[in-house]
Amino acid sequence: MASPTSLLKRLLVGRPFRSDRLQHTLLPKRIALPVFASDALSSVAYAPDEILLTLSIAGASAFLFSPWIALAVVVVMLTVVASYRQNVHAYPSGGGDYEVATVNLGPRAGLAVGSALLVDYVLTVAVSVSSGVANLGSVVPFVASHKVLIAVSAVVLLTAMNLRGLRESGTAFAIPTYGFVIVIGGMILTGLVRYFVLGDDLRAPSAGLEIQAEHSVTGFALIFLLLRTFSSGCAALTGVEAISNGVPAFKAPKSRNAATTLLLLGSISVAMLVGIIWLARLTGLQFVEDPTTQILSGPDGYVQKTVTTQLGETVFGGGSVLLYVVAGMTALILFLAANTAFNGFPVLGSILAQDRYLPRQLHTRGDRLAFSNGIVFLAVFAIVLIVGFQAEVTKLIQLYIVGVFVSFTLSQAGMIRHWNRHLRTERDPQARRRMFRSRAINAFGMAMTGTVLVIVLITKFLLGAWIAIAAMGVIYLLMLAIRRHYDRIAAELEPTEVRGVLPARNHAIVLVSKLHQPTLRAIAYARATRPDTLTAVTVNVDEKDTRQLQQEWERRELPVPLTVVDSPYREITRPILNFVANTRRESPRDVVTVFIPEYVVGHWWENLLHNQSALRLKGRLLFEPGVMVTSVPWQLASTATKNLDRLDETLSRTPARGPRVTPHSAPPPVPPVAAASGEPGPSTGDRP
């Protein structure tokens, strides 16, 4: 039977996929849209909140600027979408902004983009999930009072779903994503029809509240506030870059499908953002930064609800089923918006690992052909942020969008160089016209995103953006250090033209604690290697046990001398290290092979019942030059089921190539010198 851990893994993740099934995990446009665009689509659920609450600092009159702020955000969004459509055609390999910057601006610029995107992906998960909890908490008080726990649980659930594979998670997320678009679109259309066609007097629940300005804002302060509001609203652009990073996950033709998905994403996001801000102005909706101090008059026990929840209550009526549908779908899409990061972060991590900037484990695909290690890393870091900031969207949003606009700006600068390089060699007039048009789009995009980046840095640096910048710097330096490590190792392992000098002699040492089956097998195996010298070594930590071992050794007439090393302080490791070093010191060209007998148990808890001296010895001997370490395992009966588990796992991935081994199969024959039986000895890692 499979172990409980294996059963739980199969239940959560599913059966493993063969590598040749990778093509079956590619996504059509209808699945790719919810997979890669759910972050940008869902941003309309919190971007209007951030626009209105930032304007509320200047009082209710400042809400008049909200449509113009939304229009400015729309211009930037359409520009970025148009720019990235050029990216996916020029660089369809999946490197996205990192590849564009690396190829055209150099490795250091690419590394800056990579560090910025890694930070932004983590923040995407934290912000999206926290915002989803806030929306759900508007109608469910229990969620509002346990928001950190709910947010962490949502991240864990998303992690499990993504570990099952890209296509499976995309299929599961498609219905909620399209449902959110339909529900929000239906709410906007219904509200506009009721207001303009039916002539209904729609008033938001917060329309009659008296709002007090936190500060008197005029002149330069008002301009600064509008810029800060614009930078907060630009959170709606996050997630656009994920499609350029995920082009390899699309079905063929990959670039065209990715570009079409980008266009759909931009169109839907713009329509929903403009519709929500427009409807909020028509209904007199108000949303403030600090309800306890800014709301001067309101009903007893008033609790501020999110913008989408207030609009749902205004359009469909308080307590209606459709209100709960709006709140539920908004919360759900915000939870699922984190899925964009769960697809972008592992792919980017894999590319960085392949370029030796991150640990190589991030380049490995899991059982379901997803980059499992990257998914787990992202989940852990996001949970740390959620717990550290208590799932407060307003606090987390200040750290947000810095990274994504760094990558936007450097990517567009790289694309300008890309087109300049191709224009030097291209002679076809039609192709040159296309390149000039693409370069103009990317140049305008760089100007827009660069302006937004400057605004974000100025208006949000002291509010928390410095934390994100510091995190990018740390990751940048860490990746440089990892690359230096891998380069140094590669240089040391590079084969030389000079042929290696063969060792003069091989001295074999068998470590002995008791005379039992593992020891006898180790002696037999050491003899089979035909070393120049062979000796068995035991450490004298107990006079009585050592005398018994010597007597048993003489009685069996073993053809290997037994050397006893004294240890007055009952230490095992140091005396053996000294003995091995002295053996090799006689001739630097000699090598010493140390054979360590150990038996293998089948359950993890059995290891807890024994010491790990063999493990410590191996760890120390590996640092000794000219010393080879060989473990000679002896499998106990409890490993029979363990071996079958491994065999079952292997057979599930590849066709069977031989007869199945059963637990009742006879163990391999013991060499003649090891035929004698002995009492059972210590566990794996016990005294040798």
Side-chain angles (χ1 to χ4, degrees):
M1 292 181 61
S3 65
T5 304
S6 178
L7 288 174
L8 179 61
K9 181 180 179 182
R10 292 291 160 255
L11 178 64
L12 295 177
V13 179
R15 295 187 65 83
F17 286 160
R18 292 168 56 98
S19 297
D20 55 14
R21 283 203 59 186
L22 184 60
Q23 291 296 322
H24 298 282
T25 65
L26 299 180
L27 306 174
K29 292 189 292 293
R30 67 179 185 278
I31 301 291
L33 182 64
V35 167
F36 291 107
S38 55
D39 177 23
L41 290 176
S42 68
S43 63
V44 298
Y46 56 79
D49 295 36
E50 296 303 317
I51 290 175
L52 294 178
L53 71 84
T54 307
L55 289 174
S56 72
I57 296 175
S61 61
F63 291 140
L64 294 173
F65 294 104
S66 60
W68 301 104
I69 298 294
L71 182 61
V73 172
V74 166
V75 171
V76 178
M77 177 177 288
L78 293 178
T79 302
V80 170
V81 168
S83 300
Y84 271 90
R85 283 171 58 85
Q86 316 305 314
N87 289 36
V88 298
H89 285 296
Y91 294 91
S93 60
D97 294 341
Y98 167 72
E99 182 180 3
V100 172
T102 301
V103 171
N104 297 288
L105 303 178
R108 294 300 176 94
L111 206 57
V113 169
S115 60
L117 285 176
L118 290 177
V119 172
D120 189 73
Y121 281 137
V122 175
L123 284 166
T124 295
V125 176
V127 171
S128 298
V129 172
S130 299
S131 183
V133 171
N135 276 271
L136 192 58
S138 296
V139 293
V140 182
F142 175 81
V143 175
S145 58
H146 299 82
K147 56 185 179 181
V148 175
L149 176 61
I150 301 298
V152 171
S153 301
V155 173
V156 172
L157 179 60
L158 286 169
T159 303
M161 295 182 69
N162 278 276
L163 287 174
R164 294 187 67 88
L166 185 63
R167 190 182 184 93
E168 283 68 21
S169 64
T171 304
F173 296 163
I175 296 176
T177 303
Y178 288 124
F180 169 75
V181 173
I182 293 172
V183 167
I184 297 299
M187 180 187 72
I188 294 171
L189 289 176
T190 302
L192 295 177
V193 168
R194 288 187 60 188
Y195 189 89
F196 288 107
V197 178
L198 302 180
D200 293 343
D201 183 23
L202 297 179
R203 302 295 293 170
S206 59
L209 300 178
E210 183 181 354
I211 304 299
Q212 177 183 358
E214 289 189 12
H215 306 284
S216 177
V217 179
T218 57
F220 180 78
L222 178 61
I223 296 175
F224 185 84
L225 178 66
L226 294 177
L227 292 176
R228 177 182 163 189
T229 305
F230 170 68
S231 66
S232 295
C234 283
L237 277 73
T238 56
V240 174
E241 79 289 344
I243 292 180
S244 67
N245 292 335
V247 175
F250 284 80
K251 282 189 172 181
K254 296 178 182 293
S255 296
R256 192 172 73 182
N257 286 338
T260 303
T261 305
L262 261 172
L263 183 60
L264 289 172
L265 158 67
S267 303
I268 296 172
S269 296
V270 165
M272 291 170 55
L273 178 63
V274 171
I276 289 178
I277 292 294
W278 188 16
L279 194 57
R281 289 301 308 137
L282 293 175
T283 59
L285 187 147
Q286 301 183 108
F287 193 81
V288 301
E289 185 177 34
D290 188 1
T292 58
T293 59
Q294 289 185 263
I295 298 178
L296 298 181
S297 63
D300 294 336
Y302 175 77
V303 176
Q304 178 172 260
K305 298 179 181 179
T306 59
V307 171
T308 53
T309 304
Q310 289 192 51
L311 290 179
E313 185 175 343
T314 304
V315 173
F316 299 122
S320 65
V321 174
L322 289 176
L323 168 62
Y324 286 95
V325 171
V326 169
M329 294 303 296
T330 302
L332 187 57
I333 189 61
L334 284 165
F335 289 142
L336 301 187
N339 190 58
T340 300
F342 272 104
N343 288 297
F345 183 97
V347 173
L348 178 61
S350 171
I351 294 171
L352 288 167
Q354 191 174 14
D355 291 345
R356 297 184 294 181
Y357 286 116
L358 287 179
R360 290 172 180 169
Q361 292 87 334
L362 294 178
H363 185 56
T364 306
R365 292 185 182 270
D367 286 349
R368 306 285 286 188
L369 300 179
F371 295 108
S372 305
N373 293 329
I375 292 172
V376 174
F377 267 69
L378 173 62
V380 170
F381 293 141
I383 289 174
V384 169
L385 277 179
I386 289 172
V387 174
F389 287 86
Q390 292 297 294
E392 291 288 347
V393 180
T394 304
K395 295 179 181 178
L396 287 167
I397 204 75
Q398 309 304 330
L399 285 67
Y400 206 22
I401 79 172
V402 178
V404 74
F405 274 95
V406 168
S407 65
F408 283 169
T409 305
L410 290 177
S411 173
Q412 300 314 306
M415 286 301 297
I416 294 173
R417 279 201 172 185
H418 168 82
W419 298 124
N420 288 338
R421 188 174 66 252
H422 282 274
L423 282 169
R424 295 192 194 102
T425 57
E426 183 60 55
R427 294 294 176 262
D428 181 36
Q430 186 176 2
R432 287 179 64 85
R433 282 195 297 271
R434 287 198 304 268
M435 290 181 183
F436 277 119
R437 184 176 63 250
S438 298
R439 186 178 66 175
I441 293 173
N442 288 125
F444 185 68
M446 185 187 72
M448 295 293 293
T449 56
T451 302
V452 175
L453 177 60
V454 172
I455 293 172
V456 170
L457 292 176
I458 293 175
T459 59
K460 291 192 171 187
F461 184 82
L462 296 179
L463 296 176
W466 67 270
I467 300 176
I469 297 172
M472 294 174 204
V474 170
I475 294 175
Y476 180 90
L477 296 176
L478 180 62
M479 289 195 290
L480 281 180
I482 292 174
R483 177 59 186 261
R484 283 196 295 267
H485 168 79
Y486 282 135
D487 289 346
R488 185 175 66 252
I489 296 300
E492 291 184 18
L493 299 180
E494 185 70 22
T496 60
E497 297 297 330
V498 181
R499 296 183 60 183
V501 180
L502 295 177
R505 292 189 300 172
N506 177 23
H507 304 282
I509 298 174
V510 180
L511 304 184
V512 177
S513 61
K514 292 183 179 180
L515 195 56
H516 46 41
Q517 292 281 41
T519 299
L520 295 174
R521 170 172 284 185
I523 293 173
Y525 180 65
R527 293 183 65 198
T529 62
R530 302 184 181 279
D532 294 284
T533 64
L534 173 61
T535 183
V537 176
T538 186
V539 179
N540 181 19
V541 295
D542 186 282
E543 292 286 348
K544 180 180 178 182
D545 291 342
T546 302
R547 283 196 300 270
Q548 290 179 351
L549 176 62
Q550 290 174 313
Q551 293 171 2
E552 182 69 10
W553 201 274
E554 294 174 358
R555 187 180 67 82
R556 292 179 180 272
E557 298 181 352
L558 296 178
V560 176
L562 175 65
T563 302
V564 178
V565 179
D566 288 328
S567 178
Y569 296 101
R570 301 163 303 284
E571 186 183 4
I572 297 175
T573 305
R574 177 53 57 185
I576 290 178
L577 291 175
N578 291 336
F579 182 84
V580 171
N582 290 332
T583 301
R584 186 174 180 274
R585 192 176 294 124
E586 297 175 359
S587 175
R589 284 188 54 194
D590 292 356
V591 296
V592 177
T593 303
V594 180
F595 295 87
I596 303 179
E598 47 186 322
Y599 57 78
V600 183
V601 297
H603 305 96
W604 65 269
W605 52 267
E606 293 180 89
N607 286 308
L608 302 178
L609 303 178
H610 308 278
N611 60 52
Q612 302 296 322
S613 57
L615 185 62
R616 292 193 299 272
L617 269 171
K618 284 189 286 187
R620 294 294 300 275
L621 288 170
L622 289 175
F623 289 95
E624 295 292 330
V627 176
M628 315 299 167
V629 183
T630 302
S631 294
V632 184
W634 179 273
Q635 292 82 9
L636 296 178
S638 62
T639 62
T641 304
K642 200 73 173 180
N643 291 336
L644 281 178
D645 287 345
R646 294 197 194 99
L647 181 61
D648 288 338
E649 187 174 355
T650 303
L651 291 176
S652 67
R653 302 184 185 186
T654 57
R657 298 184 180 179
R660 181 184 177 93
V661 180
T662 65
H664 303 291
S665 301
V670 180
V673 69
S677 61
E679 62 183 80
S683 166
T684 304
D686 262 340
R687 282 185 56 204

